Amino acid sequence: MARVISVEAERFPIAGTFTISRGSKTEAEVITCTIRQGSHIGRGECVPYKRYGESMDGVRDAIEAMSERIVGGLGRTALLDAMPAGAARNAIDCALWDLEAKISGTPVAKAIGAVPARTLETAYTLSLGEPEAMAAQARANAARPLLKVKIGGDNDIARIQAVRQAAPQSRIILDANEGWTDDNIVANLAFAAEQGIALIEQPLPAGSDAILRHIAHPVPICADESVHEAKDLETLVGLYDAVNIKLDKSGGLTAALTLRDRARDLGFGVMVGCMVGTSLAMAPAVLLAQDADFVDLDGPLLLARDRIPGLVYQGSLVSPPDTALWG
C-alpha cells in the first residue's frame, strides 16, 4: 500500500524566555513529518537549529524534496545515505520508526532492546542571565536532583557560585555553548571543580578546542556542538570525556543508536540531550537514553503548552512514551 507524506511547521510557546550564550527565544519552532500507510500513521518532530545552518523553510523543503522517495518505500537504512545528518533527516527517520512500530505491532523500545523501558531522571535547564537572576531560577528549582545551567560569558564564575549557593544539593551540569576561551577555561574549570560541578558541556567553539588535549579536566568535559555522527568520534578522543547525543544533530534515532554504541566502544560517557521541542521530539530520545550517564530531555517542561498526549513528567522524572504518542 502506498505511503502518503505530509510536513507541517508548528510553534509552541515557551514559558517565559529561554536564553543561551547565542541568544533568546520565546517559542519552540518545530517541523513535524507525518507518513501514512493505509490506516497506520507515523510521526517525527525536529527542531531546525540556526547554529547548524538550518531554518524552518530549509528543513521543510529538504523533507518535501524526499517525498517521492519516501512514498516509493525508502527505508531508514537507505535514508542515511540519501540525506545528510540534521533536523530534516531526524523528522523522517523518527516518522519511519513510528510507522514501522504501528504496522508490525512491535514497539520501538523492543526493537532497539530498550525493554523494559524505565523512568529516567532528566536535567532541568536554567537560562543564562545575571548571577542574581540565575540564583533565583536555581532557588526555585533547588529540589530538582539535576540542573543544567546555561553559561558562556565573562562573568561565569559569579554565575556558577550564585547557582551553587542557591541549589546546594543539586548535581549541576554547566553548558557554555562554546562561550569560553583559551584565556579563561583553566580558571573556570578549576572553580567548577571547587563547586562540585558534575559535567561541563562544550566550553570552547567546535574546531577551536585543541587546548583540551593539553589541560587538566578536573570536571569531565562533554562534546555537544563538536559531535554529530559516529564518524566525528575518533578525532574527539583525548579532547572530551563524554558526548551529548541529540537526534536533531545525528539525523534520527537510527544514526543515534550507532553513535551511542561507538561512543561506548571508545570509552566516552554518554549524555542524551535535546533541542527545545515537544514530547513528540523527546519520545524517541527517552528510549535512546535508557542507559545514558546523563539525561537532558526537559524540552516539554520549558513549554507553556505541550502536545496532547505528551510524555508524563513527575518532577524531574520522565516516563517512557505511550504508544499513542510515539513508538
Side-chain angles (χ1 to χ4, degrees):
M1 186 172 293
R3 295 171 175 171
V4 177
I5 183 171
S6 59
V7 189
E8 182 180 5
E10 299 180 86
R11 288 172 168 79
F12 293 82
I14 291 173
T17 301
F18 183 73
T19 303
I20 66 172
S21 62
R22 283 189 287 269
S24 301
K25 59 195 299 184
T26 57
E27 61 181 7
E29 297 181 296
V30 309
I31 298 287
T32 306
C33 174
T34 302
I35 304 175
R36 294 175 172 83
Q37 187 169 331
S39 61
H40 303 290
I41 298 174
R43 298 185 303 158
E45 177 186 306
C46 70
V47 183
Y49 198 37
K50 185 178 179 181
R51 166 67 177 81
Y52 303 134
E54 296 174 338
S55 67
M56 292 287 282
D57 288 342
V59 167
R60 181 171 188 161
D61 290 346
I63 296 173
E64 290 179 341
M66 292 298 298
S67 294
E68 186 174 338
R69 297 182 68 180
I70 297 300
V71 169
L74 185 75
R76 291 183 291 99
T77 302
L79 182 67
L80 296 174
D81 295 323
M83 297 184 77
R89 194 176 77 186
N90 176 35
I92 296 174
D93 180 77
C94 288
L96 287 173
W97 274 105
D98 193 27
L99 181 65
E100 290 170 21
K102 299 294 196 304
I103 292 172
S104 68
T106 301
V108 174
K110 184 175 182 180
I112 66 173
V115 290
R118 61 187 179 89
T119 297
L120 302 175
E121 178 186 285
T122 180
Y124 181 82
T125 304
L126 307 184
S127 287
L128 176 67
E130 291 304 313
E132 297 78 10
M134 295 190 73
Q137 292 182 68
R139 197 171 296 113
N141 291 282
R144 294 184 183 274
L146 181 62
L147 298 176
K148 178 170 171 173
V149 180
K150 293 289 187 178
I151 53 171
D154 296 332
N155 203 23
D156 279 345
I157 284 179
R159 293 185 176 100
I160 296 166
Q161 184 173 39
V163 168
R164 170 48 80 203
Q165 290 177 348
Q169 302 303 317
S170 300
R171 296 169 70 219
I172 293 175
I173 300 166
L174 300 179
D175 186 2
N177 283 117
E178 305 177 283
W180 289 359
T181 68
D182 286 3
D183 294 330
N184 64 25
I185 186 169
V186 172
N188 286 348
L189 283 171
F191 188 76
E194 290 176 14
Q195 298 299 307
I197 301 304
L199 189 74
I200 297 175
E201 268 191 82
Q202 198 70 43
L204 298 171
S208 299
D209 48 8
I211 193 176
L212 296 179
R213 196 179 300 278
H214 308 293
I215 62 174
H217 293 201
V219 178
I221 300 175
C222 179
D224 183 0
E225 286 85 350
S226 291
V227 60
H228 293 247
E229 299 180 273
K231 67 182 182 181
D232 302 328
L233 290 171
E234 297 282 352
T235 61
L236 302 184
V237 175
L239 291 175
Y240 293 92
D241 308 295
V243 294
N244 187 350
I245 302 173
K246 295 177 180 176
L247 300 182
D248 280 313
K249 291 190 302 174
S250 67
L253 179 60
T254 303
L257 290 165
T258 300
L259 171 56
R260 180 198 64 187
D261 294 345
R262 182 59 178 151
R264 290 294 194 198
D265 289 343
L266 291 173
F268 289 104
V270 169
M271 179 182 196
V272 174
C274 65
M275 306 302 185
V276 183
T278 78
S279 284
L280 181 59
M282 305 301 122
V286 169
L287 300 182
L288 174 70
Q290 288 294 301
D291 66 346
D293 302 296
F294 292 90
V295 177
D296 176 30
L297 298 175
D298 64 343
L301 294 178
L302 306 177
L303 300 179
R305 173 176 59 84
D306 191 15
R307 295 185 188 274
I308 299 174
L311 290 171
V312 176
Y313 287 85
Q314 293 182 310
S316 291
L317 297 177
V318 56
S319 296
D322 186 277
T323 55
L325 169 64
W326 187 88

